[in-house]
Amino acid sequence: EGAGTSSSHYIDGGGRAVDFYLLDNKSLNGSDPGTLKMIELLDPVMPVGARVGQAGCRASAGVSVSLTNWTEFDDTCTHMHVDVPVADAPLLMPSAGE
């Protein structure tokens, strides 16, 4: 929303970004418990080069996250943005028995 045609929502035909606005019927703002839980759960399986937005929102709230595969960038504090603009790799799913 509002990012224009140069965002990962649109470039190369689109489909490389998603914005989450609600989780369990609660708004997400980039530093709330729902966003932080999604970051914790998704980071280990995201391909290297994937990005998560709202870095400034977390910094303003005094919240930091430890990331393995994602990099952070600034975005508005109205949602949680996830994208894979430069990652052609699949999700990093653990092998059976791990």
Side-chain angles (χ1 to χ4, degrees):
E1 236 179 67
T5 57
S6 63
S7 81
S8 295
H9 292 285
Y10 299 98
I11 58 173
D12 294 330
R16 294 183 178 260
V18 64
D19 290 337
F20 296 92
Y21 289 89
L22 292 171
L23 180 64
D24 196 22
N25 208 31
K26 295 181 180 103
S27 295
L28 302 178
N29 65 20
S31 63
D32 60 275
T35 297
L36 299 178
K37 186 64 174 178
M38 285 180 63
I39 289 172
E40 176 186 342
L41 292 171
L42 293 175
D43 179 51
V45 300
M46 295 302 291
V48 174
R51 303 183 319 157
V52 62
Q54 288 67 39
C57 307
R58 286 186 287 284
S60 294
V63 174
S64 64
V65 292
S66 177
L67 301 173
T68 301
N69 296 318
W70 264 331
T71 58
E72 295 179 280
F73 70 98
D74 288 334
D75 200 353
T76 60
C77 302
T78 59
H79 63 291
M80 177 188 173
H81 176 100
V82 174
D83 72 34
V84 288
V86 295
D88 289 327
L91 294 177
L92 305 172
M93 303 305 290
S95 300
E98 284 187 33

